[in-house]
Amino acid sequence: MACLTLAAGSLVIALAALVGGATGFGTSLVGTPALLLLGLTPGEVVTTNLSTALLTRIVVVFQLRAHMASRRILLLVTGSVPGALLGVQALSVISVRLITLLAGACSLAAGVALALNLRTRRPPPATAAPLTAGFLGGLLGTTTSLNGLPPALLLAGDGAMPLTFIADLAGYFAASNSLALVILALRHTLAISILTTALPVWAVAALAGNRVGLWIAPRISAARFRTLALVIIIVSALVAMAKALW
C-alpha cells in the first residue's frame, strides 16, 4: 500500500474512531465512504471497519463496564448470531448495494420518527426489540459492516443515558464484530492483506481517535447527546443510501 494512502487512511480512521468514542457508533459510516475513495475494495473496507471498531470497543468495554446493561447486551449479541450467518448467505443472492439501500432507507425513517419526538423517554424495550436489533445488526455486519445502526436506533428510542448508550454498544460491537470476522474468515472472504499491512498502523490511529472521543463523551449533556446520536443516525442513513445509489 502506498504511503500516501496509508497516511490518509490513518486520518480517516482516527476521525471515525473519535466519533465512535464520543457517541458509541458511527465509525463505519464515517470511515467507509472515504476508505472507498482511497481505493480500498469493499471487502477491505469491511475488514478494516470491523477490526478497528473491535479494537476500540474492547477498550471502551473495560473503561465503561460499570455503565453496561448486561441483559440488553446479551440479547443484542444473541440476535446478531443468526443475522450474521444469514448475511453471509444473502450475499450470494442479494447485492450489497440493495442491502445497503434498504438498510439506509429503514434507518432514515426510524431516525426521523425518533427525532420528531425527542423529548419523549420511552420505557425499556421488551425482549423482542433488542433481539431484532441484534439480528439486523448482524445481518448488516457481514454484508456492509454497518452493524451499529439498528442497535443505536434501539438505544436512542429507549432514551439510554450517554455512557450507558456507549457502553452497551461497545459490548455489542466487541462480540458482534468478533463473530463477523470469524465468519468472514471461515468463508474465505476476509481481506487478509489489509490485516497484515495497513491495519497495524491504522490500529494506532483508531486508538488515538477513540481516546479523544471518550474524553468528549462525558462532557455532553444527555439531551444534546441524544440529539447528536439521532443526527448521526440520519446522516449515516443518507450516506449509506447515497453510496448504494452511486
Side-chain angles (χ1 to χ4, degrees), residues 119-155:
R119 296 180 181 274
T120 300
R121 181 180 175 84
R122 292 166 173 74
T127 300
L131 282 175
T132 301
F135 174 83
L136 294 174
L139 177 65
L140 292 177
T142 49
T143 53
T144 65
S145 76
L146 307 180
N147 54 340
L149 277 176
L153 280 165
L154 173 76
L155 290 165

Short mmCIF file of all heavy atoms in Angstrom, two decimals, residues 119-155:
data_model
loop_
_atom_site.label_atom_id
_atom_site.label_comp_id
_atom_site.label_asym_id
_atom_site.label_seq_id
_atom_site.Cartn_x
_atom_site.Cartn_y
_atom_site.Cartn_z
N ARG A 119 -38.28 14.62 22.98
CA ARG A 119 -38.44 14.82 24.41
C ARG A 119 -39.03 13.61 25.12
O ARG A 119 -39.06 13.55 26.35
CB ARG A 119 -39.35 16.04 24.67
CG ARG A 119 -38.73 17.35 24.19
CD ARG A 119 -39.67 18.50 24.48
NE ARG A 119 -39.09 19.75 24.00
CZ ARG A 119 -38.25 20.50 24.70
NH1 ARG A 119 -37.88 20.12 25.91
NH2 ARG A 119 -37.79 21.63 24.21
N THR A 120 -39.53 12.66 24.37
CA THR A 120 -40.18 11.51 24.99
C THR A 120 -39.17 10.47 25.38
O THR A 120 -38.37 10.01 24.57
CB THR A 120 -41.21 10.89 24.01
OG1 THR A 120 -42.17 11.88 23.70
CG2 THR A 120 -41.88 9.69 24.63
N ARG A 121 -39.25 10.04 26.64
CA ARG A 121 -38.41 8.95 27.12
C ARG A 121 -39.24 7.68 27.14
O ARG A 121 -40.19 7.54 27.91
CB ARG A 121 -37.87 9.25 28.52
CG ARG A 121 -36.97 8.15 29.04
CD ARG A 121 -36.44 8.49 30.43
NE ARG A 121 -35.68 7.39 30.99
CZ ARG A 121 -34.39 7.18 30.75
NH1 ARG A 121 -33.75 8.02 29.96
NH2 ARG A 121 -33.76 6.18 31.30
N ARG A 122 -38.90 6.74 26.33
CA ARG A 122 -39.68 5.52 26.20
C ARG A 122 -39.29 4.50 27.27
O ARG A 122 -38.16 4.53 27.76
CB ARG A 122 -39.48 4.91 24.81
CG ARG A 122 -40.10 5.76 23.72
CD ARG A 122 -39.62 5.33 22.35
NE ARG A 122 -40.33 6.03 21.29
CZ ARG A 122 -40.15 7.29 20.97
NH1 ARG A 122 -39.26 8.01 21.62
NH2 ARG A 122 -40.83 7.85 20.00
N PRO A 123 -40.19 3.57 27.60
CA PRO A 123 -39.85 2.53 28.57
C PRO A 123 -38.82 1.57 27.97
O PRO A 123 -38.68 1.50 26.75
CB PRO A 123 -41.19 1.82 28.81
CG PRO A 123 -41.98 2.07 27.56
CD PRO A 123 -41.57 3.45 27.11
N PRO A 124 -38.08 0.84 28.81
CA PRO A 124 -37.10 -0.12 28.30
C PRO A 124 -37.76 -1.10 27.34
O PRO A 124 -38.90 -1.53 27.56
CB PRO A 124 -36.59 -0.83 29.56
CG PRO A 124 -36.84 0.16 30.65
CD PRO A 124 -38.10 0.88 30.26
N PRO A 125 -37.10 -1.47 26.25
CA PRO A 125 -37.72 -2.36 25.26
C PRO A 125 -37.89 -3.77 25.78
O PRO A 125 -37.17 -4.22 26.67
CB PRO A 125 -36.71 -2.34 24.11
CG PRO A 125 -35.41 -2.03 24.77
CD PRO A 125 -35.73 -1.10 25.88
N ALA A 126 -38.89 -4.47 25.25
CA ALA A 126 -39.10 -5.87 25.60
C ALA A 126 -38.01 -6.73 24.98
O ALA A 126 -37.17 -6.25 24.23
CB ALA A 126 -40.49 -6.30 25.11
N THR A 127 -38.06 -8.01 25.27
CA THR A 127 -37.02 -8.92 24.78
C THR A 127 -36.93 -8.93 23.27
O THR A 127 -35.84 -8.97 22.70
CB THR A 127 -37.31 -10.35 25.29
OG1 THR A 127 -37.30 -10.35 26.71
CG2 THR A 127 -36.28 -11.34 24.77
N ALA A 128 -38.08 -8.86 22.59
CA ALA A 128 -38.08 -8.96 21.13
C ALA A 128 -37.34 -7.81 20.46
O ALA A 128 -36.70 -8.01 19.42
CB ALA A 128 -39.52 -9.02 20.62
N ALA A 129 -37.40 -6.62 21.04
CA ALA A 129 -36.79 -5.45 20.40
C ALA A 129 -35.26 -5.57 20.30
O ALA A 129 -34.70 -5.40 19.21
CB ALA A 129 -37.18 -4.18 21.14
N PRO A 130 -34.53 -5.85 21.41
CA PRO A 130 -33.08 -5.99 21.28
C PRO A 130 -32.67 -7.20 20.46
O PRO A 130 -31.65 -7.16 19.76
CB PRO A 130 -32.59 -6.08 22.72
CG PRO A 130 -33.77 -6.43 23.53
CD PRO A 130 -34.95 -5.85 22.82
N LEU A 131 -33.45 -8.28 20.52
CA LEU A 131 -33.14 -9.45 19.68
C LEU A 131 -33.25 -9.08 18.20
O LEU A 131 -32.39 -9.46 17.39
CB LEU A 131 -34.10 -10.61 20.00
CG LEU A 131 -33.81 -11.42 21.26
CD1 LEU A 131 -34.93 -12.43 21.49
CD2 LEU A 131 -32.47 -12.13 21.16
N THR A 132 -34.29 -8.35 17.86
CA THR A 132 -34.49 -7.93 16.46
C THR A 132 -33.39 -6.97 16.02
O THR A 132 -32.84 -7.10 14.91
CB THR A 132 -35.86 -7.27 16.29
OG1 THR A 132 -36.88 -8.18 16.68
CG2 THR A 132 -36.08 -6.86 14.84
N ALA A 133 -33.06 -6.00 16.88
CA ALA A 133 -32.00 -5.05 16.55
C ALA A 133 -30.66 -5.76 16.38
O ALA A 133 -29.88 -5.45 15.48
CB ALA A 133 -31.89 -3.99 17.65
N GLY A 134 -30.40 -6.75 17.25
CA GLY A 134 -29.17 -7.52 17.13
C GLY A 134 -29.13 -8.33 15.84
O GLY A 134 -28.10 -8.40 15.17
N PHE A 135 -30.27 -8.92 15.50
CA PHE A 135 -30.35 -9.71 14.26
C PHE A 135 -30.06 -8.83 13.04
O PHE A 135 -29.25 -9.20 12.17
CB PHE A 135 -31.75 -10.33 14.13
CG PHE A 135 -31.98 -11.04 12.82
CD1 PHE A 135 -31.54 -12.34 12.65
CD2 PHE A 135 -32.61 -10.40 11.77
CE1 PHE A 135 -31.73 -13.00 11.43
CE2 PHE A 135 -32.81 -11.04 10.57
CZ PHE A 135 -32.37 -12.35 10.40
N LEU A 136 -30.71 -7.68 12.97
CA LEU A 136 -30.49 -6.77 11.84
C LEU A 136 -29.06 -6.25 11.82
O LEU A 136 -28.46 -6.10 10.75
CB LEU A 136 -31.48 -5.61 11.91
CG LEU A 136 -32.96 -5.98 11.73
CD1 LEU A 136 -33.86 -4.77 11.97
CD2 LEU A 136 -33.20 -6.56 10.33
N GLY A 137 -28.51 -6.00 13.00
CA GLY A 137 -27.12 -5.56 13.07
C GLY A 137 -26.17 -6.63 12.57
O GLY A 137 -25.22 -6.34 11.84
N GLY A 138 -26.42 -7.88 12.97
CA GLY A 138 -25.58 -8.98 12.50
C GLY A 138 -25.66 -9.16 10.99
O GLY A 138 -24.65 -9.40 10.32
N LEU A 139 -26.88 -9.02 10.46
CA LEU A 139 -27.09 -9.13 9.02
C LEU A 139 -26.30 -8.06 8.26
O LEU A 139 -25.63 -8.35 7.26
CB LEU A 139 -28.58 -8.98 8.71
CG LEU A 139 -29.00 -8.99 7.24
CD1 LEU A 139 -28.72 -10.34 6.60
CD2 LEU A 139 -30.48 -8.65 7.10
N LEU A 140 -26.35 -6.83 8.76
CA LEU A 140 -25.62 -5.74 8.11
C LEU A 140 -24.11 -5.84 8.35
O LEU A 140 -23.33 -5.38 7.52
CB LEU A 140 -26.13 -4.39 8.62
CG LEU A 140 -27.56 -4.01 8.23
CD1 LEU A 140 -27.95 -2.69 8.87
CD2 LEU A 140 -27.69 -3.93 6.72
N GLY A 141 -23.72 -6.45 9.45
CA GLY A 141 -22.30 -6.53 9.77
C GLY A 141 -21.49 -7.33 8.78
O GLY A 141 -20.42 -6.90 8.33
N THR A 142 -21.99 -8.50 8.40
CA THR A 142 -21.25 -9.35 7.48
C THR A 142 -21.47 -8.98 6.02
O THR A 142 -20.82 -9.54 5.13
CB THR A 142 -21.62 -10.83 7.69
OG1 THR A 142 -23.05 -10.97 7.70
CG2 THR A 142 -21.05 -11.36 9.00
N THR A 143 -22.38 -8.05 5.76
CA THR A 143 -22.62 -7.63 4.38
C THR A 143 -22.04 -6.24 4.09
O THR A 143 -21.45 -6.02 3.03
CB THR A 143 -24.13 -7.62 4.07
OG1 THR A 143 -24.82 -6.84 5.06
CG2 THR A 143 -24.68 -9.04 4.07
N THR A 144 -22.23 -5.31 5.02
CA THR A 144 -21.82 -3.93 4.75
C THR A 144 -20.97 -3.32 5.86
O THR A 144 -20.48 -2.20 5.70
CB THR A 144 -23.06 -3.04 4.58
OG1 THR A 144 -23.78 -3.00 5.82
CG2 THR A 144 -23.98 -3.58 3.49
N SER A 145 -20.80 -4.00 6.99
CA SER A 145 -20.12 -3.52 8.21
C SER A 145 -20.87 -2.39 8.89
O SER A 145 -20.34 -1.72 9.77
CB SER A 145 -18.66 -3.10 7.93
OG SER A 145 -18.56 -1.85 7.30
N LEU A 146 -22.14 -2.16 8.53
CA LEU A 146 -22.96 -1.12 9.15
C LEU A 146 -23.78 -1.70 10.30
O LEU A 146 -24.98 -1.42 10.45
CB LEU A 146 -23.88 -0.48 8.11
CG LEU A 146 -23.21 0.05 6.85
CD1 LEU A 146 -24.23 0.66 5.91
CD2 LEU A 146 -22.14 1.07 7.21
N ASN A 147 -23.15 -2.52 11.13
CA ASN A 147 -23.89 -3.24 12.15
C ASN A 147 -24.32 -2.39 13.34
O ASN A 147 -25.04 -2.86 14.22
CB ASN A 147 -23.08 -4.44 12.65
CG ASN A 147 -21.70 -4.06 13.13
OD1 ASN A 147 -21.16 -3.00 12.78
ND2 ASN A 147 -21.09 -4.92 13.93
N GLY A 148 -23.91 -1.14 13.40
CA GLY A 148 -24.25 -0.30 14.54
C GLY A 148 -25.59 0.41 14.45
O GLY A 148 -26.15 0.81 15.47
N LEU A 149 -26.13 0.56 13.24
CA LEU A 149 -27.35 1.35 13.08
C LEU A 149 -28.56 0.79 13.84
O LEU A 149 -29.21 1.53 14.59
CB LEU A 149 -27.68 1.52 11.60
CG LEU A 149 -26.96 2.65 10.87
CD1 LEU A 149 -27.30 2.64 9.40
CD2 LEU A 149 -27.33 4.01 11.47
N PRO A 150 -28.92 -0.50 13.68
CA PRO A 150 -30.11 -1.00 14.39
C PRO A 150 -29.99 -0.90 15.92
O PRO A 150 -30.92 -0.41 16.57
CB PRO A 150 -30.22 -2.45 13.90
CG PRO A 150 -29.56 -2.45 12.56
CD PRO A 150 -28.40 -1.51 12.71
N PRO A 151 -28.87 -1.35 16.54
CA PRO A 151 -28.76 -1.18 18.00
C PRO A 151 -28.77 0.28 18.44
O PRO A 151 -29.32 0.61 19.49
CB PRO A 151 -27.42 -1.86 18.33
CG PRO A 151 -27.19 -2.83 17.23
CD PRO A 151 -27.74 -2.14 16.01
N ALA A 152 -28.15 1.16 17.65
CA ALA A 152 -28.15 2.58 18.00
C ALA A 152 -29.56 3.15 17.97
O ALA A 152 -29.94 3.95 18.85
CB ALA A 152 -27.25 3.36 17.03
N LEU A 153 -30.35 2.75 17.00
CA LEU A 153 -31.74 3.18 16.95
C LEU A 153 -32.52 2.68 18.15
O LEU A 153 -33.33 3.41 18.73
CB LEU A 153 -32.40 2.67 15.66
CG LEU A 153 -32.10 3.46 14.39
CD1 LEU A 153 -32.48 2.67 13.15
CD2 LEU A 153 -32.84 4.80 14.42
N LEU A 154 -32.26 1.44 18.55
CA LEU A 154 -32.92 0.87 19.72
C LEU A 154 -32.60 1.69 20.98
O LEU A 154 -33.49 2.06 21.74
CB LEU A 154 -32.47 -0.58 19.91
CG LEU A 154 -32.95 -1.25 21.21
CD1 LEU A 154 -34.41 -1.63 21.11
CD2 LEU A 154 -32.10 -2.47 21.54
N LEU A 155 -31.31 1.97 21.19
CA LEU A 155 -30.89 2.69 22.39
C LEU A 155 -31.39 4.14 22.37
O LEU A 155 -31.74 4.69 23.41
CB LEU A 155 -29.37 2.65 22.50
CG LEU A 155 -28.80 1.27 22.85
CD1 LEU A 155 -27.30 1.23 22.59
CD2 LEU A 155 -29.09 0.92 24.28
#
